[in-house]
Amino acid sequence: MYDLYRAVVPGRHDVTLPADWAGAVDALEDAFPGNRARVERFFALARDVTEPSRHTTSMPGCSRSQASSVSAVRSGSTSIRS
């Protein structure tokens, strides 16, 4: 497995994230105990935004048409005009 990212704060933190979701969550939990739930929620959001297969019409707080519009923009099949 490859490493995705490394963050170093000399004398305080040296965290390397592997290039897989579960491994990254584990690495962050090891470095910052007690934050697993927050990290998992953030990564779920990141996956929803970056993985086209996860773009569904079931988005909390959105109507079906709003969720479809968001998914269309994310996938690049439409654009937002100002």
Side-chain angles (χ1 to χ4, degrees), residues 21-74:
W21 296 106
V25 169
D26 290 341
L28 289 168
E29 174 63 22
D30 289 345
F32 307 101
N35 290 289
R36 179 177 289 276
R38 291 180 191 103
V39 171
E40 287 174 339
R41 281 195 312 268
F42 174 76
F43 280 9
L45 173 64
R47 282 192 305 271
D48 285 344
V49 171
T50 61
E51 293 181 1
S53 64
R54 294 178 57 89
H55 297 173
T56 67
T57 57
S58 60
M59 297 175 70
C62 291
S63 70
R64 186 178 190 101
S65 63
Q66 288 170 322
S68 295
S69 296
V70 169
S71 292
V73 170
R74 286 180 181 160

Side-chain angles (χ1 to χ4, degrees), residues 8-30:
V8 178
V9 177
R12 297 195 55 153
H13 298 288
D14 186 346
V15 181
T16 301
L17 301 181
D20 74 278
W21 296 106
V25 169
D26 290 341
L28 289 168
E29 174 63 22
D30 289 345

Side-chain angles (χ1 to χ4, degrees), residues 1-7 14-20 23-24 27:
M1 178 66 52
Y2 295 98
D3 291 333
L4 175 67
Y5 183 78
R6 182 177 181 204
D14 186 346
V15 181
T16 301
L17 301 181
D20 74 278

